[in-house]
Amino acid sequence: MKLKTILWAALTFAVLLYLIAPIAVLIFSAFDDGKFFRFPPRELSLRWFRAALDSSEYRSALVNSTIIACLASVLSVTFGMMAALGLTRGGLRSRPAIEILLLAPLTLPLVVWAIALIQIYARLGLSGSFWGLLLAHTIIILPLSVRILMATLSNIDPNLEDAARSLGARPMRAFARTTLPLAMPGVLTSAAFGFLISFNDVVVTTFIAGASWMTFPVRMYSQLRGQGVDPITLAIGAMIVALTLVIVALGEARFKWSRRI
Amino acid sequence: MHVKPKLTLTSALTAVGLTASIATAQDFSGQTLIVGTWGGDIERLLKEHAAAPLEEKTGAKVEFLLGGSGDRMAKIYAERQNPTMDVTFQNIYEAPQLLADDLVVAPDPELDIYETVWDGMNDGCYAMSLVGLGIAYSKDLVPEPPEWADMWKPEYNGMIAMAPYPSSEGDGLLGVAARLEGADEHDADVAFAKVAELGEPALTYTSLDEVFALMEAGEVAMAPMISGYVLAGLKEFPGIGFSFPTDPGPVLIRDMVCQVKNSPNPELAQMFIEYALSAETQKAYAEEIYFGPTNSTVKLSESAAADTINSPEEVESLLALDWPWLIEQRADWTERWNKDIMGQ
Amino acid sequence: MSIWSQPPGSLILDPTPTMENYVRIAGDGYYIRGLLRTLWLSLSTTAIAALLALPLSWWIVLRAGRFRGLMLTLVLIPMVCGALLPTLGLMNLLGPLGVINGTLKSLGLIDRSWKMLGNQTGILIGLVHAFLPLMVLPLVSALDRLPADVESAAMSLGANRRKVWRRVILPLAAPGLIAGSALVFCAALTSFVTPLILGQGKVATFATMAYQQASLVLDWPFASALAVVMLVILALIGAGAWGAQRWAADTP
């Protein structure tokens, strides 16, 4: 019994270690002084972090990524909320089918989707524009937003809103005063995930983005395709991962994100 | 180190000619020229030597769209009704294809800049830089600068790194392999059989530094690589050399600069290309990243001249492959490469 | 678009409908083998993920106590970092000059690198890493429905540990397991960054073939045909998972 518990715990921690190790190595390798990581490292330095902060190209790419990710997550939460309200309150019988359909885009090969999209954009004259990129990002994250929001809404009693309305509140106000505050954790969760997905997208943005809206991952990927892994990108990657960790840890502590997906 | 290019008499003359042709241009302020190219050193050099003077001269803005040349091909074809890119940098086999599909403006023999480029190189688009496929090698494992045939020595079996296919490196290696057997690239069976004899590649590299690190660690002996970046990168790795073989010579690979057909800013695009092909930009390409100039009037420092393809004789010694034919084989060859070479 | 073609030597699409692309996929053992390899890799990924996720989720739900939040955060990490960064990390971990080989070499245990990249092992390690969260999360929410004292209650009624697992825990976990398996399987089937980088071009999966055709060979109709085949498989699996979930929900 005792031994079994210890074995069980050891197994659990081995699995956790396996999940964390690559990220830890990534962060660690950003401190390696050489251009290509090798273990054991010959010298440690902050050289790549300094170079990253000095590079105006990377700075502007990071700013672009942040702007687009913020706007796209706000948009997708707004539309996602409308869709989720319709789906949960509408009393549709086909709901399980819709839930599966909503998962499909998460697993679609994005390359093919991106090539189809760029042809549509070219017809519409949207290619290379900021709005086209924003629309594409909103579409990528929308299914996940709807899913998270549906899960949130189905735990909220619709009678509350009805009650508010029967007491004379207008529909918008009833929604804003009863359902929305209760759904807030779900809204924030879906916004945060939307932000992270949009911020990290390479495939679609490579095809859609115009010259003036180069995002950070695209910049990193184009560097990877041209001259290989640039340690500067590793340094920035390490910083992004660290930031992501903080956001996720806060979200988990505050809103129990893991129960909402 | 940044080497400030010295203005020689010829480049000064070209510069004067250039100024003259641009002086007649009207005011372009408020317009934005979109140039598609590779990220990294190429982007930096183009920014310094072509975009900056163009912006100063015309008041227009130049923006760069970064990515791989395949991504740009996809974009040009998808947007062919309504292009957004004005100038694009493509590789040797993509340019003729773009011209054949009528998506780029054919090089204009009337332009001064056409004349200064080595004869016969403006194939599809304007030739931007000359590089050759040679052999990077570990000085520990390979004592002498190798010839192509040395890669097939039994002691190096399984210790050759290769670039992913499709790529000009892969086609180049197939062309060389066929010639070692007395055939040429049109005989695909011979080419693939010979390359397969090299054994499973030690590494399919995506990054130059990856190859260099593995060469230093003794895991990779040789890799067919394109001069240019490689020679610039090698300055940090004393244990690694680069050889331009002679039998056959290095495979000619050149980057091309194209003006997209029906693009929003054709005049600016042409001016940008003139700046890109100017002696000054070409010299910077050669001195800093060892990309050989296509502009025949460029005079280089001794160290850059040694590591780049820049004299008529060197240009003559390069092995030219039948690229238009190769591009037609692309789908079949990719499958064969996956099966025969990568052992999938 | 998958029924279009490109004339040889050109990339302009010819929109005359043709089944050529599908004939090419079906007629050549190469693509069929690739498809089987992909299915095999995805199945193994799903199985390994399930094996690792079951004890982990069980521990998180019943034993972790106040560390639950922390452990779930750790589980979420690979999912929110995108595909590229963790894969680069794995390269530095498993590569010939990576942490594992470096350690073994400096301990004098090996002198030439142990190859973990460029074969199916490397891809499996990467795929399981990337998609384990998709298995753990549904499992945790399924197991959450277990009363905290279910184990001791069942045991006090005379059931032994194995019986508790078979009769109580596994049936309750089944819907989560099915949902997680479907997610992991689909994600593994279409993932291309992981097999592309960790397979180093030596192991082709259906998604890397589609990527190669779309981004490098620029044969978009053929890439679309490959994608359509993948979509059909996904749809079948989706329908299967839905059916299985209903069945699991109906079975007491």
Side-chain angles (χ1 to χ4, degrees):
Chain A
M1 172 75 197
K2 260 260 162 78
L3 184 71
K4 257 193 176 161
T5 317
I6 294 170
L7 273 178
W8 200 265
L11 184 62
T12 309
F13 284 105
V15 175
L16 280 180
L17 182 70
Y18 162 55
L19 283 175
I20 306 160
I23 315 286
V25 170
L26 179 81
I27 294 181
F28 178 71
S29 53
F31 291 95
D32 185 22
D33 191 59
K35 269 196 153 180
F36 185 79
F37 176 72
R38 59 175 68 198
F39 192 85
R42 283 185 284 200
E43 240 175 288
L44 296 177
S45 84
L46 288 174
R47 175 176 164 200
W48 305 116
F49 286 92
R50 272 197 298 272
L53 294 177
D54 282 345
S55 152
S56 62
E57 274 97 17
Y58 281 120
R59 264 208 312 264
S60 76
L62 276 174
V63 170
N64 286 346
S65 283
T66 314
I67 293 176
I68 289 181
C70 283
L71 290 176
S73 64
V74 168
L75 278 181
S76 80
V77 168
T78 316
F79 292 129
M81 189 52 127
M82 295 182 203
L85 276 173
L87 285 168
T88 45
R89 301 280 161 87
L92 282 173
R93 296 211 56 194
S94 49
R95 205 184 134 179
I98 291 178
E99 273 182 33
I100 290 189
L101 267 183
L102 280 174
L103 275 180
L106 292 181
T107 50
L108 261 180
L110 283 172
V111 197
V112 178
W113 189 77
I115 288 172
L117 193 65
I118 193 181
Q119 307 214 338
I120 298 170
Y121 273 19
R123 297 259 155 88
L124 299 176
L126 269 176
S127 23
S129 74
F130 169 73
W131 298 110
L133 185 61
L134 185 59
L135 183 67
H137 274 224
T138 311
I139 296 173
I140 316 174
I141 50 189
L142 196 57
L144 189 70
S145 301
V146 176
R147 205 181 143 73
I148 296 175
L149 291 170
M150 270 172 79
T152 312
L153 286 179
S154 58
N155 288 329
I156 297 173
D157 190 351
N159 290 326
L160 281 173
E161 206 177 311
D162 294 344
R165 248 182 279 179
S166 71
L167 291 173
R170 268 169 294 132
M172 267 320 279
R173 196 178 155 84
F175 171 75
R177 283 299 176 83
T178 59
T179 308
L180 193 60
L182 287 171
M184 216 49 202
V187 169
L188 287 176
T189 307
S190 116
F193 274 95
F195 181 89
L196 291 172
I197 292 176
S198 158
F199 196 90
N200 285 318
D201 176 73
V202 185
V203 182
V204 173
T205 318
T206 305
F207 283 98
I208 301 296
S212 35
W213 288 94
M214 170 85 43
T215 66
F216 171 71
V218 171
R219 191 152 192 115
M220 175 162 153
Y221 189 63
S222 75
Q223 180 87 30
L224 202 76
R225 292 275 293 275
Q227 282 167 295
V229 184
D230 179 349
I232 296 179
T233 61
L234 280 185
I236 300 181
M239 292 192 265
I240 291 180
V241 169
L243 192 70
T244 310
L245 282 188
V246 173
I247 296 176
V248 173
L250 281 178
E252 181 58 39
R254 185 78 181 71
F255 302 120
K256 300 277 172 279
W257 278 357
S258 47
R259 296 193 189 194
R260 302 185 181 277
I261 301 162
Chain B
M1 261 321 283
H2 179 90
V3 185
K4 200 83 193 148
K6 272 176 279 169
L7 213 62
T8 60
L9 184 63
T10 34
S11 61
L13 283 176
T14 329
V16 169
L18 217 105
T19 327
S21 77
I22 290 168
T24 52
Q26 68 269 40
D27 186 28
F28 287 96
S29 53
Q31 300 191 26
T32 306
L33 181 79
I34 310 277
V35 177
T37 189
W38 294 273
D41 285 330
I42 290 196
E43 173 204 5
R44 180 176 56 81
L45 289 173
L46 286 174
K47 240 179 207 163
E48 281 171 25
H49 298 281
L54 184 68
E55 287 181 339
E56 200 175 308
K57 178 88 37 195
T58 62
K61 213 170 140 26
V62 179
E63 282 183 346
F64 288 91
L65 185 67
L66 304 179
S69 64
D71 303 334
R72 286 196 287 282
M73 289 290 272
K75 203 173 171 69
I76 295 170
Y77 277 90
E79 296 180 345
R80 66 178 185 281
Q81 318 292 350
N82 207 350
T84 55
M85 244 187 323
D86 296 292
V87 177
T88 179
F89 285 76
Q90 301 296 146
N91 64 34
I92 184 165
Y93 53 78
E94 291 161 341
Q97 193 170 17
L98 283 169
L99 185 65
D101 285 338
D102 200 26
L103 294 170
V104 293
V105 178
D108 181 1
E110 299 295 309
L111 285 183
D112 292 348
I113 212 74
Y114 188 99
E115 283 293 305
T116 58
V117 172
W118 298 105
D119 271 349
M121 294 232 170
N122 293 326
D123 184 6
C125 302
Y126 295 97
M128 177 67 202
S129 48
L130 295 180
V131 278
L133 183 72
I135 309 171
Y137 61 100
S138 150
K139 287 181 185 163
D140 270 350
L141 295 169
V142 188
E144 293 285 310
E147 277 296 328
W148 290 113
D150 294 333
M151 288 187 9
W152 275 266
K153 283 187 178 163
E155 61 260 43
Y156 302 125
N157 196 284
M159 293 182 78
I160 310 289
M162 293 182 198
Y165 195 85
S167 60
S168 23
E169 286 95 334
D171 286 331
L173 180 63
L174 286 166
V176 166
R179 276 176 180 75
L180 289 175
E181 292 293 293
D184 65 21
E185 66 269 16
H186 295 90
D187 196 341
D189 293 336
V190 173
F192 275 96
K194 182 76 175 171
V195 173
E197 279 173 29
L198 287 173
E200 191 187 321
L203 168 79
T204 312
Y205 61 85
T206 46
S207 127
L208 303 181
D209 296 316
E210 190 181 4
V211 183
F212 299 154
L214 281 168
M215 279 185 181
E216 280 200 327
E219 308 249 350
V220 167
M222 283 180 264
M225 289 181 123
I226 296 178
S227 64
Y229 291 138
V230 176
L231 286 161
L234 275 184
K235 305 292 160 191
E236 287 180 35
F237 292 88
I240 300 171
F242 188 87
S243 132
F244 284 114
T246 57
D247 180 28
V251 181
L252 164 66
I253 290 168
R254 52 180 181 246
D255 289 341
M256 313 290 284
V257 54
C258 309
Q259 182 181 347
V260 180
K261 199 152 192 171
N262 302 325
S263 82
N265 304 298
E267 298 96 343
L268 283 172
Q270 197 189 322
M271 280 186 248
F272 182 90
I273 292 174
E274 285 177 3
Y275 273 116
L277 295 176
S278 73
E280 198 220 341
T281 313
Q282 295 264 318
K283 186 175 162 87
Y285 255 59
E287 302 278 350
E288 292 191 40
I289 55 174
Y290 301 96
F291 276 53
T294 50
N295 186 324
S296 51
T297 63
V298 171
K299 295 279 177 292
L300 296 179
S301 69
E302 222 165 280
S303 80
D307 280 341
T308 53
I309 297 153
N310 65 322
S311 69
E313 302 79 56
E314 278 176 312
V315 173
E316 200 57 39
S317 77
L318 293 170
L319 173 61
L321 301 182
D322 184 357
W323 293 105
W325 185 81
L326 284 175
I327 192 83
E328 284 183 32
Q329 316 305 315
R330 187 50 28 109
D332 292 341
W333 282 32
T334 305
E335 255 183 68
R336 279 189 88 152
W337 183 277
N338 288 342
K339 289 183 211 168
D340 299 355
I341 317 293
M342 306 307 288
Q344 284 174 6
Chain C
M1 187 163 154
S2 66
I3 50 170
W4 294 354
S5 62
Q6 290 169 332
S10 162
L11 294 177
I12 303 275
L13 299 174
D14 173 7
T16 329
T18 161
M19 291 308 281
E20 206 180 289
N21 292 317
Y22 292 97
V23 172
R24 190 167 147 209
I25 296 175
D28 190 332
Y30 173 69
Y31 292 99
I32 303 287
R33 272 203 312 282
L35 183 61
L36 291 177
R37 187 184 309 118
T38 312
L39 289 174
W40 165 245
L41 274 173
S42 314
L43 266 182
S44 321
T45 306
T46 315
I48 298 173
L51 278 179
L52 294 181
L54 258 177
L56 182 65
S57 326
W58 186 77
W59 184 274
I60 289 177
V61 171
L62 293 177
R63 293 284 150 88
R66 62 199 175 88
F67 293 111
R68 183 189 155 113
L70 175 71
M71 291 178 78
L72 277 173
T73 311
L74 293 178
V75 170
L76 280 178
I77 293 175
M79 217 173 96
V80 292
C81 289
L84 206 51
L85 291 174
T87 310
L88 290 179
L90 273 173
M91 259 176 73
N92 285 347
L93 185 65
L94 305 175
L97 301 178
V99 173
I100 295 180
N101 274 315
T103 313
L104 290 177
K105 269 187 224 165
S106 40
L107 292 176
L109 293 175
I110 51 170
D111 36 282
R112 275 203 64 176
S113 304
W114 178 27
K115 272 207 164 163
M116 283 173 286
L117 297 182
N119 51 33
Q120 299 203 2
T121 321
I123 297 185
L124 267 181
I125 296 178
L127 286 176
V128 173
H129 179 264
F131 303 128
L132 194 58
L134 292 177
M135 183 68 92
V136 173
L137 294 176
L139 265 181
V140 165
S141 63
L143 288 176
D144 259 343
R145 280 182 283 163
L146 283 174
D149 48 1
V150 60
E151 218 184 343
S152 45
M155 275 162 83
S156 73
L157 292 172
N160 61 19
R161 190 170 282 272
R162 184 181 304 190
K163 230 175 180 168
V164 173
W165 265 91
R166 218 180 53 214
R167 291 287 181 79
V168 184
I169 298 182
L170 279 181
L172 274 171
L177 203 57
I178 295 169
S181 303
L183 283 178
V184 172
F185 188 87
C186 294
L189 193 71
T190 55
S191 140
F192 85 93
V193 174
T194 309
L196 192 71
I197 296 184
L198 297 178
Q200 299 199 320
K202 290 179 195 168
V203 184
T205 67
F206 227 56
T208 61
M209 287 173 183
Y211 169 78
Q212 195 177 38
Q213 293 293 333
S215 268
L216 300 170
V217 185
L218 306 176
D219 188 344
W220 301 303
F222 189 57
S224 311
L226 288 170
V228 168
V229 171
M230 222 153 26
L231 280 184
V232 169
I233 296 173
L234 283 177
L236 289 177
I237 291 164
W242 184 37
Q245 223 166 3
R246 295 192 91 177
W247 174 79
D250 290 345
T251 324

